[in-house]
């Protein structure tokens, strides 16, 4: 019999935040993706985490100066 995942404990571990930030290993990514498929509540939690991170980054984002933007674009092209 397959062992059931303790959803609350899994969420509280912070692994989904680490995943959303790209801080997990390839092995962890595989495990997380499998768990996301099995447990819809994890997908919902991850979506909320991603939304929160996006809102936080938008709140504290600083506009790029026109000079810096110009220099970056020059280097790209």
């Amino acid at each position: 019999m397959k062992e059931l995942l303790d959803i609350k404990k899994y969420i509280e571990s912070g692994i989904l935040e680490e995943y959303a930030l790209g801080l997990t290993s390839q092995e962890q990514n595989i495990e997380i993706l499998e768990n996301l498929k099995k447990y819809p509540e994890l997908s919902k939690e991850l979506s909320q985490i991603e939304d929160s991170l996006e809102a936080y980054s938008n709140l504290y984002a600083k506009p790029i100066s026109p000079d810096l933007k110009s220099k970056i674009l020059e280097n790209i092209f």
Side-chain angles (χ1 to χ4, degrees):
M1 183 173 196
K2 266 190 171 177
E3 186 178 322
L4 291 176
L5 183 68
D6 183 339
I7 301 296
K8 184 178 179 188
K9 191 180 259 188
Y10 192 81
I11 290 171
E12 289 174 353
S13 75
I15 192 74
L16 293 176
E17 286 85 353
E18 290 176 12
Y19 177 78
L21 292 168
L23 302 175
T24 49
S25 68
Q26 183 70 19
E27 185 177 287
Q28 288 173 313
N29 290 345
I30 292 168
E31 177 187 309
I32 292 164
L33 290 172
E34 288 174 2
N35 286 330
L36 289 170
K37 289 178 191 174
K38 290 181 202 174
Y39 305 99
E41 52 269 52
L42 292 180
S43 293
K44 183 179 176 185
E45 181 70 19
L46 178 59
S47 181
Q48 290 174 344
I49 290 166
E50 291 170 336
D51 290 345
S52 295
L53 289 170
E54 184 177 357
Y56 180 86
S57 67
N58 288 334
L59 184 63
Y60 291 100
K62 294 183 180 180
I64 188 169
S65 73
D67 289 340
L68 180 57
K69 182 177 180 179
S70 176
K71 288 178 185 178
I72 291 171
L73 291 175
E74 284 174 20
N75 285 329
I76 291 173
F77 299 110

